[in-house]
Amino acid sequence: MSIQSKLLIMLLAVSLVSAIVVGVIGFINGRDSLRASAFHQLTTIRELRGEEIQREFSSLQLGVQLDSRNASAVDATTALVDGFAQLQSSTLSADDESKLNDFYAEQFVPALEKRSGNSYSPDAFVPATPAGRYLQAHYTDGRAYDDYDAGLALDDAGDGSAWSAASAQYNPYFKGLVDDLGYEDVLVMNREGDVVYSAYKSVDLGVSMKEEPYTNSALTQAFDQVMRNGSLDEVVTTDFERYLPSLNVPTAWVVSPVGSATNIVGAMAVQIPITQINSVMTGNEKWSAQGLGTTGEVYLAGPDKTMRSVSRLLTEHPKRYAATVVDNGTSPAVAKRIVAVKGTVELQPVDFEGTRRALQGKSGTAITADYTSSDSLVAYAPLQIDGLNWVIVAHMDAAEAFAPVDEFTRNLVISTLALLLIVSMLSLLLAQVFTRPVRRLVDAVRAVAAGDLTVRVPAVAHDEFGDLGRAFNDMSASLRTKQDLIDEQRTENEKLLLTLMPESMAKRYREGEEVISEQHDDVAVVFAELVGFDEYVAALSSTEEMAALNTLVRGFDEAADRTGVEKVRTLRGGYLASSGLIVPRVDNARRAVEFALEMRRVVERFNAAHDTRLDLRAGVDMGPVTSGLVGRTSLAYDLWGDAVSLAYAVRGATTEPGVYVSQAVRDRLADSIEIVAAGAIDTTAGQQQVWRVTGTSR
């Protein structure tokens, strides 16, 4: 390792160790402090919300108790109970009965089934008593089932009954309870459990809580409890339960008896306003302003481990709600249902560590999963609400809750890296003075390795680096000269290779194929030999013989180019060519014959120029052939097949010079060239006629 590298490493090591020691100490102290602050803030919010919701329920329970004791409530209950009793002997006309049945069959039950997803019989909701049917025919039927404001404003149906007179007198009192105190609804029941009054005068008016479908409801059980104890001080609060008259919406009640210490005439049931609960738990939907950031919230949960208040995520981001809660374990069907009804009470599961511990009576904090995140900061505790086993949970995504910790860590890391960067830059600046010549040389060597032989490095220094640079430049120049020679030789070899074989064969040969051959279906083959050449060159020297042969072959090659014929190979006194081998043609036969005739003309011109008596005998056939490279060390491009053999045989059908063609060529040419019979040859397929070309193309 060089001195520069050692110096650089030592500087970096000292800086890094110092920064790490300081950073670790600061990180541990800062992280613990910030984490404790996050837990404390969430716990404080949970305690404030818990105290507020407990005060809300205490106030609600006390208010219902006081409202049920005052003289107006007692007098109203007495009058309504008596009026209801008088209506038990009333009868409805067949038309009113039919309209009431139609109301349930056509309006209420379809709406209930649509919202709940269950099937119901309309008969189950029609009051069983004459008084109940009478009241609903006059006060419930004739308006939309969900027009609660119209029902609340209706004091007297004008039927002249004692019940209507009592309603006209006391409905404003109960209407005031709903409007001023924010109650959802107020029910008055007689001692037998009949609902003798409803502020909204909806489908629960006149029904018996002791009859189906209300027999086992939480409201019925609360009514039985307050009536069984017989004390005016009794107040029973129910958990949320799906209440059929409210279209299966979760509903909770506060029930208290009405009457005197010696005579309880009935009970008052107040429907707990869910909006007030949600307002308390959401802080009027001002989560961020109360320190809960963008993901924090406080919610209530019941013993079934489902929510008893609205979800912040559903309120702020209803479109994102389903995907988020499904990713964290909620059933897709439940998530879809929550979005459809726009409520999470008794629907959203919160069966997580914080909820389970709180239901066990424990208070504390934890980092655990919740319904919106797999990693949340949670503060949990049980609630002290008379009659309810509820718990309160405050949670926030851990990423947001510990954002100050992350920011502190990030700043610490950035500071450490900045210090290391400064030290590193100073160290590198000093090291560059020594390593710059080496880097240049390394870059130059890499360029040469990549094939750039023109690269040079500056070599002006008069030291060892300068000597090394000059030596490299000499080596690069020498390599460039040798590469130029190799490129020239490669070009010559390529040209020579293309004179021996077609380009497609040459490409396969260069790619290293061992067996190179190609099948051709329709090729015309010309096999020609010089007649009298041996006698002519007998008196010539080898140089003169080669010159004469080259003259003839060049003429044959030029003729092949003109007629579109491919040269295959040259023999001392012969010439093998083809038409349609490399370039498929539809006139293979005609081109081959014209080439053979042109070869005779080349010989004639040679005779005229050299005063010789040479001639040419050529055979032409056509059909399937195979071309390929023969051998590896002594490479030769050749053509073989029945067409080649037959062309050779046709050439030897007679000793007379001329152009001879097979029957296949004769059939292909038809009458386009003058042809006469010239004999026959024996082939493996039998005897075949040979024809002699006597004229040119017509």
Side-chain angles (χ1 to χ4, degrees):
M1 186 179 294
S2 65
I3 295 177
Q4 293 84 355
S5 299
K6 292 179 181 178
L7 178 61
L8 178 61
I9 290 175
M10 285 188 294
L11 290 172
L12 292 176
V14 171
S15 302
L16 181 61
V17 170
S18 301
I20 288 176
V21 171
V22 174
V24 167
I25 295 174
F27 171 73
I28 293 175
N29 292 334
R31 181 197 61 185
D32 293 345
S33 176
L34 291 172
R35 281 177 174 262
S37 176
F39 276 114
H40 177 72
Q41 180 180 1
L42 199 61
T43 301
T44 300
I45 295 173
R46 181 209 70 197
E47 291 176 349
L48 292 175
R49 289 284 184 276
E51 292 173 357
E52 190 172 354
I53 196 65
Q54 288 172 165
R55 285 196 303 269
E56 180 71 21
F57 269 91
S58 295
S59 175
L60 182 63
Q61 291 166 344
L62 180 60
V64 172
Q65 186 181 41
L66 294 176
D67 290 336
S68 66
R69 286 183 177 183
N70 66 41
S72 295
V74 175
D75 293 343
T77 301
T78 302
L80 290 168
V81 168
D82 291 342
F84 187 84
Q86 294 178 28
L87 290 176
Q88 293 291 18
S89 60
S90 64
T91 58
L92 286 179
S93 66
D95 185 53
D96 288 340
E97 289 278 3
S98 177
K99 289 181 179 180
L100 184 61
N101 291 331
D102 290 343
F103 167 78
Y104 280 101
E106 297 174 4
Q107 292 191 50
F108 177 73
V109 170
L112 176 61
E113 291 178 342
K114 180 179 179 181
R115 182 175 180 87
S116 66
N118 299 322
S119 298
Y120 298 93
S121 171
D123 295 339
F125 297 96
V126 178
T129 63
R133 291 194 298 274
Y134 181 92
L135 288 178
Q136 288 203 6
H138 287 81
Y139 286 89
T140 304
D141 189 15
R143 60 182 172 88
Y145 66 89
D146 56 351
D147 190 357
Y148 302 118
D149 291 337
L152 186 63
L154 181 58
D155 295 335
D156 186 354
D159 60 321
S161 65
W163 191 96
S164 293
S167 175
Q169 181 179 358
Y170 295 106
N171 189 65
Y173 166 73
F174 291 112
K175 183 176 181 296
L177 295 180
V178 173
D179 292 338
D180 299 338
L181 301 181
Y183 296 157
E184 282 295 314
D185 196 3
V186 178
L187 304 183
V188 175
M189 293 176 283
N190 60 20
R191 294 181 59 84
E192 289 74 30
D194 297 315
V195 178
V196 300
Y197 174 81
S198 166
Y200 288 135
K201 303 169 187 67
S202 186
V203 295
D204 47 4
L205 175 62
V207 302
S208 173
M209 300 308 297
K210 298 298 185 73
E211 302 289 340
E212 292 293 345
Y214 308 106
T215 306
N216 297 316
S217 67
L219 176 58
T220 301
Q221 295 173 7
F223 171 79
D224 289 341
Q225 183 177 343
V226 298
M227 298 305 293
R228 182 171 55 249
N229 292 340
S231 171
L232 288 177
D233 295 331
E234 186 75 17
V235 178
V236 176
T237 303
T238 72
D239 198 345
F240 279 101
E241 182 184 60
R242 301 198 174 278
Y243 188 55
L244 294 175
S246 296
L247 297 183
N248 217 37
V249 173
T251 304
W253 302 89
V254 177
V255 183
S256 181
V258 180
S260 63
T262 58
N263 182 28
I264 295 178
V265 296
M268 178 189 294
V270 172
Q271 185 176 346
I272 296 176
I274 185 63
T275 54
Q276 291 187 19
I277 295 177
N278 289 334
S279 177
V280 171
M281 300 313 298
T282 64
N284 294 318
E285 298 185 3
K286 297 179 180 179
W287 293 278
S288 299
Q290 296 164 22
L292 289 171
T294 60
T295 62
E297 68 171 327
V298 185
Y299 64 82
L300 301 174
D304 60 351
K305 301 182 182 67
T306 62
M307 292 179 67
R308 294 297 188 270
S309 58
V310 72
S311 163
R312 175 183 183 178
L313 182 61
L314 180 65
T315 302
E316 292 186 328
H317 308 287
K319 294 182 178 179
R320 201 175 70 197
Y321 182 87
T324 302
V325 298
V326 168
D327 289 343
N328 289 279
T330 300
S331 165
V334 172
K336 182 178 179 181
R337 177 70 176 166
I338 290 172
V339 174
V341 303
K342 300 179 182 179
T344 54
V345 176
E346 287 195 317
L347 285 175
Q348 177 59 58
V350 285
D351 187 6
F352 300 101
E353 182 180 356
T355 307
R356 291 192 291 267
R357 289 184 180 179
L359 288 171
Q360 295 170 1
K362 301 177 182 177
S363 300
T365 58
I367 300 177
T368 181
D370 209 281
Y371 78 101
T372 61
S373 174
S374 60
D375 190 20
S376 297
L377 187 64
V378 175
Y380 54 88
L383 287 174
Q384 304 301 321
I385 300 176
D386 188 26
L388 296 178
N389 182 21
W390 284 5
V391 298
I392 185 169
V393 178
H395 78 101
M396 180 184 293
D397 286 0
E400 182 180 12
F402 293 142
V405 179
D406 296 336
E407 184 178 1
F408 170 74
T409 304
R410 183 169 56 254
N411 292 337
L412 184 62
V413 171
I414 291 174
S415 300
T416 303
L417 292 177
L419 178 61
L420 290 175
L421 180 62
I422 294 173
V423 174
S424 299
M425 291 179 64
L426 291 175
S427 302
L428 288 172
L429 183 62
L430 295 175
Q432 282 182 352
V433 176
F434 300 97
T435 59
R436 186 180 296 112
V438 176
R439 287 199 303 272
R440 289 175 179 170
L441 190 59
V442 169
D443 292 340
V445 171
R446 289 175 178 168
V448 170
D452 184 7
L453 300 180
T454 62
V455 65
R456 294 179 64 85
V457 297
V460 296
H462 299 286
D463 55 13
E464 289 80 358
F465 289 120
D467 295 338
L468 186 59
R470 285 185 285 273
F472 172 81
N473 291 336
D474 293 340
M475 179 193 70
S476 177
S478 176
L479 290 175
R480 185 168 61 253
T481 301
K482 293 178 180 179
Q483 184 62 43
D484 292 341
L485 295 175
I486 291 173
D487 291 341
E488 292 176 4
Q489 186 62 45
R490 183 182 293 111
T491 302
E492 292 298 324
N493 291 343
E494 184 69 20
K495 291 180 180 179
L496 179 59
L497 190 62
L498 293 178
T499 62
L500 297 176
M501 64 188 74
E503 184 177 355
S504 61
M505 289 283 182
K507 180 180 179 182
R508 295 172 63 183
Y509 175 74
R510 287 193 299 270
E511 292 175 353
E513 290 192 35
E514 294 292 333
V515 179
I516 304 175
S517 65
E518 294 179 350
Q519 299 291 329
H520 311 274
D521 294 331
D522 188 21
V523 178
V525 180
V526 181
F527 196 101
E529 66 173 352
L530 289 170
V531 178
F533 185 74
D534 290 339
E535 292 80 1
Y536 166 65
V537 299
L540 300 178
S541 65
S542 59
T543 302
E544 292 171 335
E545 176 185 352
M546 185 57 64
L549 183 60
N550 284 340
T551 299
L552 289 168
V553 172
R554 280 196 295 271
F556 297 159
D557 291 345
E558 293 172 357
D561 290 338
R562 289 195 300 274
T563 57
V565 173
E566 303 98 359
K567 173 183 175 181
V568 178
R569 57 185 170 87
T570 304
L571 305 175
R572 180 176 176 273
Y575 197 96
L576 179 62
S578 65
S579 178
L581 183 69
I582 299 175
V583 180
R585 303 181 186 277
V586 296
D587 57 347
N588 294 341
R590 182 185 63 78
R591 289 177 180 271
V593 172
E594 288 182 353
F595 170 64
L597 294 173
E598 187 65 27
M599 290 180 73
R600 292 199 71 192
R601 296 187 188 101
V602 171
V603 174
E604 290 173 358
R605 289 193 293 269
F606 183 83
N607 289 338
H610 296 84
D611 193 22
T612 60
R613 296 179 178 276
L614 301 180
D615 209 333
L616 186 79
R617 186 166 56 245
V620 183
D621 188 30
M622 65 184 306
V625 298
T626 303
S627 63
L629 300 183
V630 180
R632 283 308 277 182
T633 56
S634 298
L635 191 66
Y637 175 68
D638 203 355
L639 188 71
W640 61 91
D642 292 342
V644 180
S645 301
L646 192 56
Y648 180 79
V650 167
R651 171 206 58 82
T654 177
T655 58
E656 292 297 323
V659 178
Y660 298 90
V661 300
S662 66
Q663 184 64 42
V665 177
R666 169 70 177 82
D667 295 339
R668 183 67 66 88
L669 294 176
D671 296 329
S672 62
I673 297 178
E674 296 179 3
I675 299 176
V676 297
I681 59 173
D682 294 327
T683 66
T684 56
Q687 198 173 58
Q688 186 175 144
Q689 181 71 42
V690 177
W691 303 83
R692 184 171 183 232
V693 179
T694 59
T696 58
S697 301
R698 295 177 182 176

